[in-house]
Every structure is written in structure tokens, then in C-alpha cells.
Amino acid sequence: MATERTTNSKAVEDMLLNVGTLLMSNGASTGRVRTTINRIADALGYEVELLITSRSLMLTVTTEDGSDYTSSVKRTPPHGVNFKLVSGISRLSWRVIEEELSVEQINQDIERIKSLPHYPRLVVLALVALAGASFCRLFGGEVPEMMAAFTATFFGLFIRQEALKMRFNPYISIFFASFAAAMVAGLSIKLNIGHSPENALATSVLFLIPGVPLINSLSDLMDGNTLNGMVRGVNGLIIAFSIALGLMLAMQIYSL
Amino acid sequence: MELFTLLEKGIWFGFAALGFAILFNVPRRTLFIIWIIAALGGLTKLILIQQNLEITIATFAGASLIGMLSVYAAHTKHAPPLVFSIPAVIPMVPGIFAYRMMLGLMKLSSTAATSDTYSVSLSETVSYGLKTLFILMALAVGVAIPMLISRKETIKKVKRPTQK
């Protein structure tokens, strides 16, 4: 099987580097990156050794009989979250085994997965704002507070998207977003809307919480990828700190 | 009446998770499952708290349930477990405790250590801070354990067909 599907090692290596860096920068844990790369390499008849860090990926590809080998490094782009991509590549890795895809077919499929559309911007804004309102309800808010949380989250997320578009530093963008959301929610306290407007303020910034870095951090730590786990954990802490800073500044301005 | 308020909270757990699912750009076929998993996990937590269980343990139980359901959903919907589990646990994040801890820290840094209110706010802040920390850890560990256990099984299944 291996012989008829063997292409040159360099092409396999480039494809694997592409897969690995895409997974790493879009919210997969280190263990998943390793499993997926091994799975694809195995199916193509190659053996692979990996060094996975949060900002770069290094791998050595060897043919099964050891006659040809090559290694190289690729920079991992800044981290974001796109589970459509993680899920698509995971499915692709199974298809490589089941349908015996060639490297070229795999590359085509990666391009297709990369071009899958995001949800429309208005849908994202509206549903994340609804999530903010839901949080508010869960912490005991009533309808007026929920409305305040909805508006604040909507506005905060809009600011974050704009800041990222203008290529601000990601932590600064989060600070801007948290400040904007807290300013809107703080207004509802000043105007005395509802019984416990404090709930709206506390929940208005929750859409920024670093859920993916923190949970991946723990899976990495428990999986033995201690260094990557610590990197992700520190990243999560800086995000949490940026949120707190924005919230604090808004509260100082309103002198709450 | 109590059952009604409980179910109503379940619905909000679902919507909070749905918002994050959209934010993380999950595949459309997983959206409904995420809603259900989040609601079930959140309800488990609330019911356990009603049985006078500590909030940390209740959260751990809810998060573990979400972790297990996600592994199951991963097999039927063909997406990695983290696609389901991460949006679904986020509604259980202790936002209010974290907020109160932050308020406490701000108060502590601006009042004199000798004032009468200092020790009261110190113990309040420590209490909220510890609750936040332990609930977050319970969430992450509870969700990670089922994923780590199940990953062992998938690798076994992969090895077999390739060794023709």
C-alpha cells in the first residue's frame, strides 16, 4: 500500500507542517495536534517525530524503510479560535485512512476547509449578546438587567472585532472591549435600571473569558505537555488581567 | 413552580453556550447538541446545589457530565470532543465570584490596613478568590478527564487498519 501512494517526503512534510500549525493556532490541544499528524503520516506510510511549541512546529519525516528523511520548522500564526477548521481537519485525517487520499487531494481538502465561511457578523454579535443576557439571568438578573447585559456585550464585541481588524495587539483589543462593555453596563447602574444592575456590569465582560486557552492549558498539563500547558495558562491569565483592567477603569470613571 | 424555574435556567445555560459556540465558529451540525449538553450539565450542577452539595463539587460533576456527553457526541457527529465541551462548560464560569473578588482587591488596595473594614473585606476577598479558583479548576479538570481517557481508545482504533 505504502509504495503506490508514496510521493516525495518534502511534499508530505509541507502538508503535515501546514496541518499542525493550522490546528495549533485554531484551538486544538497539543495532544490532538500530535495524534492528527501521526494519524495522517501513518496512513501515507511515513514515520514522523515532532517538536510542538505554541509559536512554532518542527518535524522530521522518515519513510518506513528509512531510505529518505527530511526535517523542517514552520512558524505558527497567532492563536485564534476556529473550531470549524479543527473539526474539518480531524475528519480529513480519518478520510486519509479510509479513502487512501493522496497528498495532493489532502492539500486540496485543506484549502477547502480553510475557505469555509464564518457565521455572518450580525448573527455572531446577536447570539453572543444573547449569551451575555443568559449569563445575567443565570446570576439572578431580571429582564431590565438582561437588556443592559445584551447591549453591553453587543457593543463590546463590536469594539473587539474592530480593534482586531485594525491590527491592535490582541490583549489591548480585549482591554478596549472590556472597557467599552463595562462603560455601557455601568450606565445602567448610573440610571438605576432594574433591581440589581450590578449583575449587568459583572456579566457584561464575560464574553471575553479565555475559555479555550484555560481548558487547553489543563488538558496539556495533564497530558504531560507541561511547557505548552504553562504557555497557554499564562496567556489565559494575561487575558483575564486585561479584562479586569478594562472593567476597573470603567468603574473608576463612574466612581462605583 | 420550582421545577419550572429550574428548567428555565437550563434554557439559559443552553443559550449562553450557543453564543460561545458561534463565537468559536463551530460546525452548524453541532449547534443543537451543544445547546442540549450545556443545559444538561448546568441542570446537573443546579440540582446538586439544591441537594446542599458544595458548589465546587457540583460544578465538577456538571463539567464531567459535559465531558462524557461530548465524547459520545464526538463519535456520532464526527467532530472532536472539545468542539462540544468548551462552549458547553463556559456558562458555568463563576463570573459573579470573580467580579466580587476584583471589587474586593480594589477596595483592599485603596483602604488603610488599620481601618475597621479592612479585615472584613480581606476575608471576603480571599473567600471569593478561592471559590473562583477552585470552581475554574473543577471546570477544566472535569471536562479534560473524559477527553483524556477516550483519546487512548481512538489511537488503538487507528493503528489496526494501517498495519495491513
Side-chain angles (χ1 to χ4, degrees), chain A residues 136-191:
Chain A
C136 191
R137 178 72 194 142
L138 288 174
F139 293 132
E142 302 283 333
V143 176
E145 291 95 316
M146 284 169 73
M147 304 272 276
F150 185 93
T151 321
T153 307
F154 192 95
F155 191 62
L157 183 62
F158 179 79
I159 295 285
R160 185 183 177 195
Q161 290 173 340
E162 288 300 312
L164 285 176
K165 232 187 253 171
M166 289 184 225
R167 296 183 174 275
F168 273 104
N169 171 297
Y171 301 123
I172 307 262
S173 310
I174 286 177
F175 165 73
F176 285 157
S178 145
F179 176 64
M183 284 303 277
V184 174
L187 205 61
S188 76
I189 298 189
K190 280 284 151 191
L191 301 175

Side-chain angles (χ1 to χ4, degrees), chain B residues 29-91:
Chain B
R29 62 179 188 280
T30 61
L31 283 176
F32 183 64
I33 308 282
I34 290 173
W35 193 89
I36 298 273
I37 291 178
L40 287 178
L43 283 177
T44 308
K45 180 187 119 174
L46 289 182
I47 289 170
L48 288 178
I49 289 175
Q50 271 188 354
Q51 309 296 317
N52 288 326
L53 219 68
E54 233 283 302
I55 183 165
T56 318
I57 306 203
T59 308
F60 182 76
S64 310
L65 181 76
I66 287 178
M68 282 184 271
L69 290 176
S70 306
V71 170
Y72 178 72
H75 285 295
T76 53
K77 287 276 167 190
H78 305 291
L82 89 165
V83 170
F84 303 94
S85 61
I86 293 184
V89 289
I90 283 183

Side-chain angles (χ1 to χ4, degrees), chain A residues 49-68:
Chain A
E49 292 295 336
L50 288 164
L51 171 63
I52 307 171
T53 72
S54 76
R55 290 312 288 270
S56 52
L57 173 68
M58 182 169 162
L59 52 79
T60 300
V61 175
T62 319
T63 49
E64 264 169 359
D65 54 6
S67 61
D68 189 17

